[in-house]
Amino acid sequence: MTEPLLVLEDIRKNFGAIEALKGVSFSIGKGEVVALLGDNGAGKSTLVKIIAGGHEASSGRMLFEGREYRAKTPAEGKAMGIETVYQDLSLCTNVDVVSNFFMGREITRRVLGIPILDEKAMEREVAKALAEAGTRIPSLRVNVEHLSGGQRQAIELNRFVHWGGKLVLLDEPFAALGVEQTRRGLEMIRHVASQGIGVVIITHIMQQAFQVADRIVVIRQGVVAGDVPTHQTTPDAVIRMITGEALAGTGPAAAKR
Amino acid sequence: MTPRTRRGIEFVLDNLVWFMLLFVLIVFSTFVPNYFQLGIFANIIEASSVLGVLSIGLSLVIIAGHMDLSVESVAALSAMAVGILFCSAGIGIGVQLQPEWLAVPVSLLVAITVGGLVGLLNGFLIVRMKMNAFIITLASFIWVRGLVVAVSGGRSAQDLAPAIRWFGIQRVLGLPLTAWIAVSCFIVFSVLMAKTPYGRHLKMIGGNETATYRAGIRVARNLVIAFVLAGAIAGLAGWLLTVRTSGATANLGVGLLFNAFAAVVIGGVSLKGGVGSLPGVYAGVLLLSSINTAINLMGLPANFTQVIHGLLVLAAVMLDTLKQSVRRRLA
Ligand SMILES: Nc1ncnc2c1ncn2[C@@H]1O[C@H](COP(=O)(O)OP(=O)(O)O)[C@@H](O)[C@H]1O
Ligand SMILES: [Mg+2]
C-alpha cells in the first residue's frame, strides 16, 4: 500500500443505547480507492460522517497525514481537504445550480469594500466543470428543485471532483444515476485517485466495487469483517463477508463474536 | 413549451406581487374618485415607511427558515427609549445635546442598539440554546411590550426634539426623509440578500440547513446575525415611528406585526423558509398601503381595513400554493 493518508484506530460510536460502530480500524492510502461494503445498518454512513466531521466518534483515534485528526464540524473536515458526498443529497433545492456548486465558497469581488457575488465568474466555472464531466443540465440558473434525481447527483459528483482536496468520501453516489452516468462517475473516481487523492466509496453494487476499488473493506454490525485487496478476492467471498457466513480477511470480527 | 414562454411564465410568477400592485393601482385610479394623483402615491409610500422597514427584518429571519414575532414590540421599545430621552413633554426628559443635530445620530444609535440587543437575546436562545423560535419570540413579543408599558407607566412622551422631527417634515422630491430612509433600507437589504454571500447563505440555510452546515457554512453565526439584524431594523422602525408621531405612547405600533406578516407573505416570502426576495416584500407593503388609502378615500369605516387585510393574506397563501403547482408543472 502507498503512504497512509487516513488511519482509523478502534473507532466507536454510540447513539444512546445503540452501538453503531464497535471498534473500526483500517487505513486509506494516497491515491487509493477503498470500497466500503456492508449490509443496511452496518454503520457505513456513520463511519463516513465521523471522518467528515458530521458526527464525533465516541472513542478511538484518527490520523490524517500522520497527525492526530478529529473534526467537530464538517467545516473542519473540509478545511483539512476532506470532501464528502452524503447519501441523502446535500443540495439546497431552493437555489440554482451555480449557487449549489459554490455553496460556502462563493467567488466574490469587492465593491466599496463589500464582497459582492461574482455570478458571471461562478457560472463560467460551473459550465466548464460540467462540460468536462460530460454532464448536461439545461440551465445553470434553474433551481435545483426542478432537476431530476440523476441530475442532482451529477451536480454533487462534479462538485467534489472540482474541489478535489486530499480525501473524498462518497456515500452511495450512484444510487440515482443511469448506466452511462454511472460509468462516467466511476471513471471520474479513477481520475481523481490518479491525482493522489484518497477515495472511500460506499456502494451496494458489487460490480462497481470490483470495477473501481483497489481494496475492499467490509463492515458488519459495526466492526470490520474483511479488508482485502480487490484482486485477491471474489464477489462471492465478499458477499459471504457481508452476510457473515465466513470470516474471511482480517479485522476484529472473529474476536468480537 | 418553448424555453421562451417558460421564461416568460417564470418571470410573471417571480414578480407576481408587482403585477398585483400595478393592477390594484389601475383599478383604484379608475374607480376611486381622486385616487389618481401624485400626492396620493407619495402618501402611499410615506404611510408605508414604518411597516416597510419592520417587514425587512421579519423577512430576513423567515427566509432563513425561522420566525420573529417580537419585531412589533421591539419597535415600540426603541420608540419609547427615543421618546423618553428626546421628548420634552409628558414623560420625556428632554436630553439636550450640543450641537443640537447630535440628537439624530445618538437617538438612532439608541433605537438600533435597543433593538439589536433584544435580537441578540432572541438569537442566542433560539440558535445557541436550540429553543423554539416561535415560543421564544412570542415571549419577547409579550415581555418587551410589557417593558414599554412599565417604563412609561402607561403615559406618553410628546414634543420630540426638533432636530429629529426634521426628518419627518423635510421633503425631498415630494417625500419626507423618513420615507427615503425606508426606501434606502429596502435597497441596501435587497443588495445584501441578493448579491452578497451572507444573503445567499441565509437563503440556502432556509432551504436546507443540513446541506449548508455540511458545506462548511457557519450556520449558527449567520442565524444569530439575522436575529440581531431583525431586532436592529425593528429598532429603526421604532425610531421612524417616534418621528412620525413626534413622541411615543405605550401602545405605539400595536397591530403592526400582523400587517408585517401580511406584507411579507403577500410579497412572496414563504413561511417554510428559503423563498422570497425583498423587492417583492416592498411591493407587498405598497399593496397594503394602496388598499388602505383607497379605503380612506372611499370613506369606508376603518374596520374594513382589517377584514380586507385578512382576506389578502388568505389570498396570498392560496396564490403561493397555486404558484408552486404551476412551477411543478413547468419543471
Ligand atoms: N443519528 C442517529 N441516531 C441514532 N441511531 C443512528 C443514527 N445514525 C445511524 N444510526 C444507527 O446506526 C446504525 C448504522 O447506521 P448507518 O451508519 O446509517 O448504516 P449504513 O450506512 O451502513 O446502512 C443503524 O442501526 C442506525 O439505525
Ligand atoms: Mg448508509
Side-chain angles (χ1 to χ4, degrees):
Chain A
M1 198 178 72
T2 53
E3 186 185 344
L5 176 65
L6 177 73
V7 180
L8 307 177
E9 287 178 7
D10 200 29
I11 300 291
R12 292 164 190 271
K13 176 72 187 175
N14 303 335
F15 295 106
I18 300 172
E19 261 192 302
L21 298 175
K22 305 170 191 167
V24 170
S25 308
F26 67 93
S27 63
I28 302 140
K30 285 185 181 156
E32 187 183 35
V33 179
V34 172
L36 201 55
L37 294 129
D39 217 341
N40 272 332
K44 307 180 297 291
S45 296
T46 305
L47 188 63
V48 158
K49 283 178 189 158
I50 287 172
I51 301 172
H55 288 319
E56 268 196 272
S58 305
S59 71
R61 205 162 79 110
M62 289 188 277
L63 295 174
F64 190 71
E65 296 188 307
R67 251 173 273 139
E68 189 95 22
Y69 164 78
R70 173 174 282 252
K72 287 199 181 60
T73 63
E76 288 179 27
K78 250 188 173 105
M80 296 293 293
I82 298 178
E83 289 290 317
T84 312
V85 176
Y86 293 86
Q87 184 168 11
D88 49 330
L89 296 183
S90 308
L91 296 172
C92 291
T93 55
N94 62 324
V95 293
D96 61 23
V97 178
V98 176
S99 307
N100 270 287
F101 208 89
F102 278 90
M103 192 189 303
R105 308 189 245 220
E106 290 80 4
I107 301 178
T108 58
R109 62 199 156 80
R110 299 227 160 229
V111 178
L112 307 172
I114 301 159
I116 298 289
L117 295 167
D118 192 342
E119 299 284 359
K120 284 212 184 90
M122 289 194 277
E123 186 166 340
R124 260 200 312 274
E125 292 244 357
V126 176
K128 209 173 93 199
L130 294 188
E132 277 170 10
T135 305
R136 266 209 302 272
I137 286 171
S139 163
L140 299 181
R141 288 300 174 189
V142 69
N143 281 359
V144 170
E145 62 199 343
H146 300 315
L147 299 180
S148 71
Q151 287 171 323
R152 292 179 195 196
Q153 216 153 34
I155 294 171
E156 284 234 40
L157 284 174
N158 292 326
R159 189 162 67 170
F160 96 76
V161 172
H162 181 77
W163 295 110
K166 294 172 180 166
L167 175 65
V168 172
L169 310 169
L170 307 165
D171 196 349
E172 305 199 24
F174 304 137
L177 295 190
V179 176
E180 173 57 18
Q181 276 179 308
T182 302
R183 191 189 59 73
R184 235 189 259 122
L186 291 171
E187 256 171 35
M188 254 152 57
I189 289 177
R190 288 296 350 165
H191 174 69
V192 163
S194 72
Q195 297 169 347
I197 296 172
V199 180
V200 175
I201 174 174
I202 297 178
T203 173
H204 271 125
I205 300 168
M206 199 57 61
Q207 191 197 349
Q208 284 175 7
F210 274 84
Q211 234 173 309
V212 77
D214 300 307
R215 211 147 50 82
I216 290 180
V217 173
V218 177
I219 308 268
R220 190 162 57 81
Q221 295 174 356
V223 293
V224 175
D227 182 346
V228 283
T230 310
H231 62 88
Q232 287 176 16
T233 187
T234 64
D236 281 340
V238 172
I239 285 171
R240 281 197 298 275
M241 291 181 227
I242 292 172
T243 57
E245 281 170 44
L247 295 171
T250 58
K256 280 296 280 190
R257 274 266 122 174
Chain B
M1 198 183 314
T2 67
R4 214 200 163 106
T5 42
R6 184 199 172 120
R7 232 173 303 149
I9 294 173
E10 291 260 356
F11 179 77
V12 172
L13 286 181
D14 285 342
N15 298 288
L16 198 57
V17 57
W18 287 103
F19 289 104
M20 280 162 57
L21 177 63
L22 200 66
F23 173 78
V24 163
L25 286 178
I26 291 171
V27 169
F28 286 159
S29 298
T30 318
F31 295 107
V32 179
N34 301 327
Y35 197 92
F36 188 73
Q37 299 173 40
L38 266 183
I40 295 278
F41 294 132
N43 193 39
I44 289 172
I45 296 175
E46 182 180 344
S48 64
S49 41
V50 173
L51 179 63
V53 170
L54 200 64
S55 306
I56 295 174
L58 187 59
S59 303
L60 292 191
V61 177
I62 293 180
I63 289 174
H66 280 267
M67 178 60 60
D68 191 347
L69 301 175
S70 72
V71 286
E72 172 193 308
S73 300
V74 171
L77 183 63
S78 287
M80 186 52 79
V82 172
I84 289 177
L85 288 176
F86 294 98
C87 283
S88 52
I91 54 170
I93 54 176
V95 172
Q96 297 289 330
L97 295 174
Q98 282 305 327
E100 250 176 66
W101 60 262
L102 260 182
V104 174
V106 172
S107 62
L108 267 173
L109 198 69
V110 167
I112 289 173
T113 310
V114 166
L117 283 176
V118 179
L120 182 64
L121 180 68
N122 285 339
F124 177 76
L125 291 175
I126 293 163
V127 181
R128 299 285 177 191
M129 308 300 286
K130 305 205 191 303
M131 294 180 176
N132 181 286
F134 185 87
I135 304 294
I136 293 296
T137 58
L138 180 63
S140 297
F141 174 71
I142 297 167
W143 74 255
V144 173
R145 175 64 72 179
L147 195 60
V148 174
V149 176
V151 296
S152 65
R155 294 164 55 221
S156 63
Q158 304 112 29
D159 289 349
L160 186 64
I164 307 176
R165 222 172 64 211
W166 180 77
F167 279 82
I169 300 162
Q170 183 64 40
R171 283 172 182 267
V172 173
L173 300 176
L175 285 177
L177 287 176
T178 45
W180 286 112
I181 291 177
V183 172
S184 342
C185 272
F186 264 104
I187 295 173
V188 167
F189 281 93
S190 295
V191 171
L192 177 83
M193 286 306 283
K195 304 280 181 208
T196 70
Y198 177 74
R200 175 66 50 82
H201 292 172
L202 272 195
K203 190 168 179 183
M204 290 196 287
I205 290 170
N208 184 350
E209 191 174 319
T210 311
T212 53
Y213 175 68
R214 286 170 174 176
I217 291 172
R218 296 166 75 179
V219 175
R221 177 171 160 272
N222 285 346
L223 284 176
V224 171
I225 292 174
F227 276 103
V228 172
L229 281 176
I233 297 166
L236 178 62
W239 186 86
L240 292 173
L241 211 50
T242 321
V243 174
R244 273 179 65 87
T245 56
S246 183
T249 58
N251 64 353
L252 199 59
V254 165
L256 265 179
L257 176 64
F258 297 99
N259 284 332
F261 260 100
V264 167
V265 172
I266 293 167
V269 172
S270 162
L271 292 181
K272 69 177 171 28
V275 180
S277 69
L278 286 179
V281 172
Y282 194 44
V285 170
L286 292 178
L287 187 60
L288 283 184
S289 187
S290 316
I291 292 168
N292 290 350
T293 307
I295 291 171
N296 283 343
L297 278 181
M298 288 189 290
L300 292 177
N303 298 341
F304 271 100
T305 330
Q306 273 207 8
V307 177
I308 291 177
H309 285 183
L311 291 178
L312 260 178
V313 174
L314 263 185
V317 174
M318 287 192 289
L319 211 63
D320 188 45
T321 319
L322 185 73
K323 272 198 304 199
Q324 279 177 24
S325 72
V326 173
R327 282 230 163 87
R328 255 195 303 280
R329 217 157 314 148
L330 277 184

